[in-house]
Amino acid sequence: MLYLPRRLLRETEAHLKGEAPREGVGLWAGRREVERVIPLPNVHPSPLTGYLAEPLALLKALKALEREGLALLAIYHSHPKGPALPSPTDLKEARWRVPYVIFGTDGFRAFLLPEGREVEVVLL
């Protein structure tokens, strides 16, 4: 289960809206609940249909979280022209053991990937 303050949901949505029509990507971090939204640059060669967090920015963000005593709680990305469901590429490229939150044209949903098990997001 992910606990997400509404203001951080709005912050995430604003980030992804600013990236459209490209896919946006970022991290949610915190302790028990999401405390921080960390947008990352998408350096995918086809950013209209894929995402790849810029490796150095991702590494710096993860090190900063560790220094601050925060944990990586989720990875988020957008499907600006599709549903909030994992794509075949999302399933194939999933590497992290945290929920992947997908923002689509029909809202947002979270999944453990590659198995595809949905994770509940509780808005605070």
Side-chain angles (χ1 to χ4, degrees):
M1 205 173 298
L2 282 169
Y3 296 95
L4 176 66
R6 291 178 193 276
R7 69 178 177 78
L8 295 180
L9 172 61
R10 290 190 298 272
E11 185 178 326
T12 303
E13 291 172 330
H15 164 230
L16 297 174
K17 183 178 179 183
E19 292 292 319
R22 298 164 40 97
E23 289 196 11
V25 60
L27 309 176
W28 284 349
R31 292 172 185 89
R32 184 172 183 274
E33 67 186 49
V34 178
E35 298 174 36
R36 184 166 308 147
V37 175
I38 304 160
L40 295 169
N42 180 0
V43 295
H44 194 281
S46 300
L48 296 178
T49 57
Y51 75 94
L52 174 64
E54 196 282 313
L56 186 56
L58 175 59
L59 181 61
K60 286 181 179 180
L62 293 171
K63 286 185 178 233
L65 294 179
E66 188 177 323
R67 279 193 309 273
E68 296 170 36
L70 300 176
L72 174 62
L73 298 180
I75 299 168
Y76 69 84
H77 76 280
S78 59
H79 288 176
K81 294 184 176 157
L85 292 171
S87 69
T89 302
D90 292 337
L91 295 172
K92 183 177 75 174
E93 295 182 358
R95 300 283 185 271
W96 298 82
R97 297 307 309 153
V98 297
Y100 286 76
V101 184
I102 303 170
F103 286 78
T105 55
D106 57 349
F108 71 96
R109 295 169 71 184
F111 302 88
L112 287 176
L113 300 179
E115 58 267 51
R117 185 167 52 94
E118 190 159 5
V119 174
E120 183 179 358
V121 179
V122 177
L123 293 176
L124 304 174

